[in-house]
Amino acid sequence: MATPLTDQEKRKQISIRGIVGVENVAELKKGFNRHLHFTLVKDRNIATPRDYYFALAHTVRDHLVGRWIRTQQFYYEADPKRVYYLSLEFYMGRTLQNTMINLGLQNACDEAIYQLGLDMEDLEEMEEDAGLGNGGLGRLAGTNCLYKGVAPLSCYQYYTVEEADDWLRHGNPWEKARPEYMLPVHFYGRVEETKEGSKWVDTQVVLAMPYDTPIPGYMNNTVNTMRLWSARAPNDFNLRDCKRTSSSPGNILAHIVVPCITFVLFLCNPVLQFFEGKELRLKQEYFVVAATLQDIIRRFKTTKKGTAGRTSFESFPDKVAIQLNDTHPAMAIPELMRIFVDIEKLDWDTAWDLTKRTFAYTNHTVLPEALERWPVELLETLLPRHLQIIYQINQNHLDVIAALFPEDMDKLRRMSLIEEDGCKRVNMAHLCIVGSHAVNGVAEIHSNIIKTDVFRDFSELEPEKFQNKTNGITPRRWLLLCNPGLAELIAEVIGEDYVKELSQLEKLNDFVDDAAFIRDVSKVKQDNKLKFAQFLEKEYKVKINPSSIFDVHVKRIHEYKRQVLNCLHIIAMYNRIKKNPNAPFVPRTMIIGGKAAPGYHMAKMIIKLITSVADVVNNDPVVGDKLKVIFLENYRVSLAEKVIPATDLSEQISTAGTEASGTGNMKFMLNGALTIGTMDGANVEMAEEAGEENLFIFGMRVEDVAAMDKKGYDAMVYYNSIPELKQVMDQIKSGFFSPKNPELFKDLTEMLFKYDRFKVFADFEEYMKAQARVSKLYQNPKEWTKMVIKNIAATGKFSSDRTITEYATEVWGVEPTDLKIPAPNEPREAIEETARALKKM
């Protein structure tokens, strides 16, 4: 059995959270007071907690600026290939603590704030979560952009919520406006054919203002840039230009709300009453890519390879890689073609070759309704030149298909970029595949599905184009930051190198039977549960049993994620307690959280059902503290950082073949939660790494679902043959959980009985059996914790470091570079070089 590190060995290592150091603390205190006085113009007599947060944020940012500038200087001098991760969402969460950890300042900042008589946790809570996304796609991008390259997108002040999330109302200390790089973005207009080629004329112009946020690497002095864009009206805006009919694209409302392009992400319902939601969404998508590509071209032209005139574009794919995060930035493909052909005057074939070698596409869904399709009529109005380019791309593409398969008209229809059935639409996923040199899924099972099913024709045509890149998570945020107790415990027994090489966690297998380590892991979990229970009591006014199983299901609310299945299990447990209150029962605290898209009625009904069940269960004296149901409102990254370390059981129960990957499952696994789940998404690879016996796997596999689809799914068969399921559904239908409105859940029950594509009833019985296994094992704390340790030891594969390295070497064609940038000793040292460096950013 391996032995833990000695105290002497531990002392030789740098603390995970950084060195305290008297000089560091004194410098931080000095910077804090300087910013409080000179940046915020406050003193301790009138300063608020938010002022203290801003003073600390500016102080920490001071330690970033020199590194940030030096990083950009290095990139300019070395002229490496640059990677641009283009996404409509970056779900970053809070920045302060993550930055302190990456810079090795956490301990020194803690001590400085303590000496100033303030509480660090209180200051951290003052920071708003950045409203730059909602859901897994945004969280994945938020993780990836911490490591590589410039990450441009549109700067959304609000995102998809029923209640506005004005996260910028107090300002953002981390961003730097770059008005000198403001760029025009064109909409509407018409196409004029001239001797020189096509010209897009009579357009309406919106200005794109860039905002840069520094993204520090972990303990390496490298600081990359996330560039966000905000919409501005041009200075020559004139209301007289708006004298058109209300149905005209140039009507007065369209002009007045120019900033609305970046004011909301998807749309809040009130906005939909005044503006065409689809048009605004397409404007957002094009706004991002148009500004970004102009910026990329500008930067390319300032490099050593970009100073030789038009012929220099031959090296463009050697210096630029653009990753499309799902189909939302797909308009980048025709936009780059427009720039190359119309502006830079390259011939079509050369431009198309450069474009394909520049772009790569990550697919995030297999659900047909989630694959974007834009009406041709809308594109013709909003982006007429781009529609022409898409038509030409499609024609050339279909010519190739027709030559290879001259008699197969159905294949031509299936592979066309233009869908002709019903409303004529552009299939954006097809555009991404045709216009990219690499296409990847985000888990092995997902990548196989897109190759053999969703995009089968394309995969058969170009099999070498399709790859897998299993998602990953950053252990810096999702262990060091959110679970320092577990991070330090792991470091005590295997050292700290695992923070950069997560695969080293496999060394924990040597401690699976170590009684002291088992006890310590269990204690860390219990401490986290007690802390979260206190949070729930404070924020939700509900007391829970810290010894109960914390059974957690937090993710975007959607039918395929099957929060309904979880809810049916909750009702079944409630019925068992009511039937026999004295029977043995392992206490559970059911915690569910997530957001529903504003226009997604069924998702909202699922939330309503959960909260209605919670009202009944939590107020039934017979149930007591055996069972509690909590719905986490406004679920966000900072809330995830609280609940994940406290979780015992992670719910990953989507219908097999519907979840692309998931990253929440990985975060829970790393933080010592066991998984109950189907063989879907990354669950499959988690089971491979940890052993299927160390997860609570249940339900249909992908092939079972396919067979059932072929045979036909009949919900009534399960309803009539499973008494417990019948009782649960009868209660919901009868209004037991909605006595004031018995018909409240009619749409939901109708869906489950008649239109359930995700086959909730088919997996109900196996799910109940798996939950019984959970309760049985939980009664044996030692064996439970041993399984926890095995799961933590198996998470090495799921590091975003591994994911990014695979993208870098297999998609982008870049090698990891150790910049070895020396950290500046004083902020002044960096200031002296600022002017020259900023021109190169």
Side-chain angles (χ1 to χ4, degrees):
M1 182 180 296
T3 11
L5 298 175
T6 66
D7 289 342
Q8 185 178 9
E9 289 170 328
K10 292 179 203 169
R11 282 195 295 271
K12 288 181 180 177
Q13 299 181 352
I14 298 174
S15 166
I16 290 176
R17 294 162 69 87
I19 300 172
V20 176
V22 176
E23 292 182 0
N24 288 348
V25 173
E27 182 188 344
L28 288 166
K29 288 167 65 179
K30 183 179 178 181
F32 180 91
N33 286 320
R34 182 178 71 250
H35 280 296
L36 187 63
H37 292 168
F38 297 109
T39 304
L40 301 171
V41 197
K42 296 283 185 77
D43 63 19
R44 295 291 291 269
N45 293 320
I46 60 172
T48 66
R50 179 163 281 106
D51 293 325
Y52 294 139
Y53 156 70
F54 272 93
L56 178 58
H58 284 295
T59 302
V60 172
R61 198 183 80 159
D62 286 346
H63 289 260
L64 276 176
V65 171
R67 295 170 171 87
W68 195 9
I69 292 172
R70 287 165 181 260
T71 300
Q72 301 307 317
Q73 289 172 338
F74 175 88
Y75 290 157
Y76 181 79
E77 296 301 329
D79 195 20
K81 185 174 185 177
R82 297 186 186 232
V83 177
Y84 299 86
Y85 196 87
L86 189 51
S87 178
L88 265 285
E89 300 184 42
F90 284 89
Y91 208 7
M92 299 293 295
R94 294 169 174 170
T95 300
L96 175 60
Q97 192 179 4
N98 187 69
T99 302
M100 290 189 295
I101 286 175
N102 283 356
L103 295 181
L105 290 175
Q106 177 77 68
N107 283 341
C109 286
D110 286 346
E111 180 62 24
I113 294 302
Y114 173 76
Q115 291 183 18
L116 289 165
L118 301 170
D119 185 277
M120 176 62 85
E121 194 168 326
D122 290 344
L123 300 192
E124 290 170 347
E125 286 298 317
M126 296 307 301
E127 182 174 7
E128 303 277 358
D129 283 52
L132 296 169
N134 177 39
L137 181 143
R139 282 191 288 277
L140 172 71
T143 295
N144 284 352
C145 75
L146 294 178
Y147 296 93
K148 296 289 178 182
V150 180
L153 80 165
S154 197
C155 179
Y156 297 107
Q157 182 164 345
Y158 297 102
Y159 60 99
T160 312
V161 286
E162 290 297 293
E163 187 175 309
D165 177 25
D166 190 3
W167 67 281
L168 289 173
R169 62 187 176 276
H170 300 294
N172 181 1
W174 303 104
E175 69 182 11
K176 176 69 178 75
R178 305 287 193 195
E180 67 273 26
Y181 295 127
M182 195 177 296
L183 296 166
V185 176
H186 298 261
F187 295 100
Y188 304 110
R190 59 188 177 83
V191 180
E192 192 175 83
E193 298 299 337
T194 69
K195 292 181 180 179
E196 290 77 27
S198 299
K199 291 181 67 176
W200 188 16
V201 298
D202 296 339
T203 59
Q204 294 180 12
V205 177
V206 174
L207 297 179
M209 162 85 90
Y211 288 81
D212 288 351
T213 299
I215 306 295
Y218 177 70
M219 305 291 280
N220 62 9
N221 292 320
T222 301
V223 181
N224 285 320
T225 304
M226 178 173 70
R227 176 156 286 184
L228 313 177
W229 299 97
S230 182
R232 296 286 186 272
N235 291 332
D236 59 356
F237 168 67
N238 192 327
L239 280 175
R240 286 176 296 182
D241 295 338
C242 301
K243 291 181 179 178
R244 307 184 187 183
T245 65
S246 61
S247 61
S248 167
N251 68 73
I252 188 169
L253 288 176
H255 282 276
I256 290 175
V257 295
V258 161
C260 192
I261 292 174
T262 53
F263 202 58
V264 291
L265 181 45
F266 307 109
L267 295 177
C268 299
N269 285 340
V271 179
L272 287 171
Q273 298 173 17
F274 297 99
F275 309 106
E276 191 64 45
K278 286 184 179 181
E279 182 174 318
L280 180 53
R281 175 63 179 181
L282 182 56
K283 279 183 178 178
Q284 292 175 341
E285 295 185 358
Y286 177 67
F287 176 85
V288 174
V289 302
T292 297
L293 286 172
Q294 289 182 74
D295 198 41
I296 291 172
I297 296 289
R298 174 193 63 79
R299 192 174 291 107
F300 172 76
K301 287 182 175 181
T302 65
T303 64
K304 298 171 185 177
K305 291 281 188 179
T307 55
R310 192 194 321 165
T311 56
S312 66
F313 279 104
E314 294 172 3
S315 66
F316 191 79
D318 300 325
K319 289 298 176 182
V320 174
I322 302 176
Q323 189 70 33
L324 302 175
N325 193 31
D326 216 21
T327 58
H328 309 134
M331 288 305 298
I333 293 171
E335 172 65 4
L336 187 58
M337 285 295 293
R338 186 187 71 83
I339 292 171
F340 281 157
V341 173
D342 294 357
I343 299 174
E344 301 297 338
K345 304 303 180 183
L346 302 182
D347 66 84
W348 179 277
D349 290 342
T350 299
W352 183 240
D353 175 66
L354 295 176
T355 297
K356 284 191 68 173
R357 290 195 288 131
T358 298
F359 286 109
Y361 162 54
T362 298
N363 173 269
H364 283 279
T365 182
V366 299
L367 299 181
E369 66 269 25
L371 296 171
E372 283 189 307
R373 293 166 168 85
W374 287 111
V376 164
E377 183 181 8
L378 176 57
L379 281 166
E380 193 169 27
T381 301
L382 191 65
L383 301 168
R385 176 58 180 144
H386 297 76
L387 181 61
Q388 286 185 345
I389 291 170
I390 291 170
Y391 276 145
Q392 185 62 55
I393 293 171
N394 190 48
Q395 185 61 57
N396 295 347
H397 164 64
L398 292 182
D399 287 346
V400 173
I401 306 302
L404 292 171
F405 309 96
E407 304 300 325
D408 197 341
M409 296 302 295
D410 195 46
K411 184 180 285 287
L412 281 175
R413 179 189 58 78
R414 294 196 307 268
M415 298 185 71
S416 175
L417 275 57
I418 311 298
E419 297 179 345
E420 303 278 357
D421 53 315
C423 171
K424 206 171 182 181
R425 298 161 299 177
V426 178
N427 186 311
M428 304 308 281
H430 289 185
L431 175 62
C432 287
I433 294 170
V434 172
S436 300
H437 71 273
V439 177
N440 70 277
V442 289
E444 282 286 357
I445 186 173
H446 170 232
S447 298
N448 289 335
I449 289 172
I450 67 174
K451 285 191 290 187
T452 60
D453 185 6
V454 183
F455 304 130
R456 179 178 176 179
D457 290 317
F458 293 92
S459 176
E460 289 175 346
L461 182 68
E462 298 179 283
E464 71 285 351
K465 181 182 283 192
F466 287 77
Q467 306 181 19
N468 174 61
K469 297 290 174 281
T470 299
N471 281 343
I473 59 172
T474 167
R476 272 72 67 180
R477 180 180 290 274
W478 295 111
L479 188 58
L480 268 66
L481 185 155
C482 72
N483 201 345
L486 181 58
E488 294 287 355
L489 176 59
I490 293 171
E492 287 178 11
V493 296
I494 67 170
E496 297 180 354
D497 289 344
Y498 78 88
V499 178
K500 294 183 178 180
E501 296 179 34
L502 202 62
S503 60
Q504 293 197 21
L505 287 178
E506 65 184 7
K507 295 177 182 177
L508 292 178
N509 284 316
D510 295 335
F511 297 89
V512 168
D513 296 311
D514 186 299
F517 189 64
I518 292 171
R519 181 190 65 242
D520 291 343
V521 170
S522 181
K523 184 179 184 304
V524 167
K525 178 63 71 174
Q526 195 58 33
D527 289 346
N528 289 334
K529 291 174 69 174
L530 285 167
K531 185 177 180 180
F532 190 67
Q534 292 168 359
F535 168 81
L536 288 179
E537 185 172 357
K538 177 183 176 183
E539 297 296 325
Y540 291 83
K541 312 303 179 190
V542 59
K543 287 188 176 183
I544 61 173
N545 179 2
S547 299
S548 64
I549 299 174
F550 280 20
D551 185 336
V552 179
H553 197 174
V554 286
K555 50 184 75 241
R556 182 166 51 92
I557 307 298
H558 198 289
E559 290 165 77
Y560 87 84
K561 293 179 183 290
R562 299 203 297 189
Q563 286 91 353
V564 169
L565 179 58
N566 189 354
C567 196
L568 299 186
H569 170 239
I570 293 171
I571 299 171
M573 287 191 292
Y574 172 73
N575 290 338
R576 289 179 182 181
I577 295 171
K578 292 289 286 183
K579 183 178 180 180
N580 190 353
N582 298 318
F585 185 85
V586 179
R588 294 234 187 179
T589 299
M590 309 299 297
I591 301 169
I592 303 174
K595 293 174 180 175
Y600 192 177
H601 170 69
M602 198 58 67
K604 292 180 181 180
M605 293 312 300
I606 291 169
I607 293 175
K608 181 61 179 174
L609 176 62
I610 293 165
T611 56
S612 298
V613 170
D615 287 340
V616 172
V617 172
N618 296 345
N619 292 292
D620 193 322
V622 175
V623 175
D625 65 356
K626 292 180 180 179
L627 181 63
K628 283 286 187 283
V629 183
I630 312 293
F631 185 82
L632 298 177
E633 298 175 5
N634 191 22
Y635 184 66
R636 57 203 183 279
V637 174
S638 58
L639 187 49
E641 292 165 1
K642 292 179 174 66
V643 67
I644 288 174
T647 298
D648 292 308
L649 186 68
S650 162
E651 299 270 354
Q652 308 295 331
I653 59 176
S654 54
T655 309
T658 59
E659 183 72 81
S661 170
T663 55
N665 44 8
M666 304 169 189
K667 295 163 192 168
F668 283 110
M669 188 182 191
L670 180 60
N671 281 273
L674 299 184
T675 300
I676 183 168
T678 53
M679 289 297 265
D680 194 27
N683 293 355
V684 177
E685 289 160 81
M686 288 164 55
E688 290 171 355
E689 295 295 308
E692 193 171 327
E693 69 278 7
N694 291 310
L695 285 76
F696 299 99
I697 297 295
F698 73 94
M700 296 181 290
R701 309 293 170 109
V702 170
E703 55 271 22
D704 299 323
V705 174
M708 184 170 288
D709 283 334
K710 192 173 182 180
K711 183 180 72 172
Y713 167 66
D714 185 353
M716 293 302 296
V717 171
Y718 301 95
Y719 172 78
N720 290 321
S721 61
I722 306 172
E724 205 162 22
L725 174 61
K726 186 176 188 302
Q727 181 187 5
V728 168
M729 289 306 301
D730 287 348
Q731 287 172 295
I732 298 172
K733 287 195 300 178
S734 67
F736 182 86
F737 298 103
S738 55
K740 294 182 179 179
N741 183 3
E743 297 287 306
L744 179 61
F745 299 114
K746 182 178 179 181
D747 290 346
L748 182 57
T749 56
E750 286 281 304
M751 180 273 291
L752 289 171
F753 280 113
K754 298 179 181 178
Y755 316 110
D756 182 14
R757 294 181 296 153
F758 306 108
K759 307 170 181 62
V760 169
F761 291 179
D763 275 342
F764 176 81
E765 200 164 32
E766 287 299 314
Y767 181 53
M768 294 293 291
K769 291 177 181 177
Q771 290 286 11
R773 298 199 304 272
V774 170
S775 294
K776 182 179 179 180
L777 183 64
Y778 192 75
Q779 294 177 84
N780 187 335
K782 181 179 178 180
E783 292 303 314
W784 178 278
T785 307
K786 287 170 71 173
M787 190 180 288
V788 164
I789 295 169
K790 291 176 184 177
N791 272 263
I792 297 172
T795 54
K797 174 180 179 178
F798 305 109
S799 169
S800 57
D801 298 344
R802 186 266 315 153
T803 306
I804 292 298
T805 299
E806 290 180 1
Y807 274 108
T809 57
E810 299 169 18
V811 176
W812 303 328
V814 297
E815 293 294 329
T817 304
D818 185 1
L819 303 186
K820 298 188 182 300
I821 301 170
N825 295 322
E826 297 287 343
R828 184 182 301 276
E829 188 176 327
I831 293 172
E832 294 172 355
E833 303 178 64
T834 298
R836 183 167 67 91
L838 288 179
K839 292 179 182 179
K840 303 165 185 175
M841 297 177 73

